[in-house]
């Protein structure tokens, strides 16, 4: 599987605290069936966020440690950006790292604000004008996306829905209810782990993939955990 969302670079954000935790998280990811893991540190917008200039060297250092420890994981990097006033500038100037070399796909996180829908739609619109394809991190958490028409509208604008694996495995939550409905409608393109550390928030991709295969079929499970994430890393249309 390809996991497009993990806070694995040590000490950069609220994810893996140090190199030991990062290596443990990488081992868990490999055991969980993940072959390619994308480190997506939080940028801006609060405490525990990474300086984007630190990401490439941190990723290279962790790659080196993976080779030394013989952990056969393909580590890539991008970043998780909150919706900010200047988010389009951060995209256009290249400060916001993308998933692909063509710089089409970027990971965008929205806060659960009361007027969040209007802000999110406006941000997606402005990013699309610049040629970016925003991949929405865990949109299922957003109560303001309860109306299916609003979610469909965001999809029609060109946003990609990336849901978190663990939420599919937490029945009863409103996040799970929304994610289940969207997956069933074929609206979700990616399932990712959003793993933060080996204990509190480990990757749960294998269990989520089984959940998808049982309910929606093997083809859907493969698309959401391998096929579409692979296209995003290659900068190809979904
Ligand atoms: Fe995240």
């Amino acid at each position: 599987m390809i996991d497009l969302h993990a806070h694995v670079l040590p000490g950069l954000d609220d994810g893996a605290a140090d190199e030991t935790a990062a290596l443990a998280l990488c081992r868990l990811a490999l055991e969980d069936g993940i072959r390619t893991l994308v480190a997506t540190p939080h940028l801006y917008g609060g405490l525990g966020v990474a300086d984007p200039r630190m990401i490439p060297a941190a990723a290279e250092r962790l790659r080196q440690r993976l080779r030394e420890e013989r952990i056969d994981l393909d580590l890539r990097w991008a970043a998780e950006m909150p919706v900010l006033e200047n988010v389009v500038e951060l995209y256009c100037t290249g400060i916001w790292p993308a998933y692909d070399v063509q710089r089409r796909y970027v990971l965008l996180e929205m806060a659960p604000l009361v007027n969040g829908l209007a802000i999110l739609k406006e941000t997606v619109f402005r990013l699309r004008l610049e040629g970016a394809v925003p991949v929405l991190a865990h949109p299922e958490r957003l109560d303001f996306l309860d109306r299916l028409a609003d979610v469909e509208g965001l999809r029609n604008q060109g946003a990609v829905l990336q849901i978190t694996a663990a939420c599919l495995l937490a029945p009863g939550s409103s996040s799970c209810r929304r994610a289940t409905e969207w997956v069933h409608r074929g609206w979700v393109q990616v399932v990712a782990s959003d793993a933060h550390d080996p204990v509190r928030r480990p990757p749960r991709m294998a269990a989520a993939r089984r959940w998808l295969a049982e309910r929606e079929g093997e083809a859907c499970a493969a698309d959401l955990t391998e096929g579409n994430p692979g296209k995003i890393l290659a900068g190809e249309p979904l």
Side-chain angles (χ1 to χ4, degrees), residues 5 7 42 80 194 196:
H5 189 154
H7 299 269
H42 293 286
E80 181 173 14
D194 198 8
H196 275 63

Side-chain angles (χ1 to χ4, degrees), residues 15 71 100 131-132 137 142 175 202 223 234:
I71 301 170
D100 55 309
L142 300 169
S175 297
D223 281 349

Side-chain angles (χ1 to χ4, degrees), residues 164-175:
T164 301
C167 99
L168 293 175
L169 310 169
S173 66
S174 51
S175 297

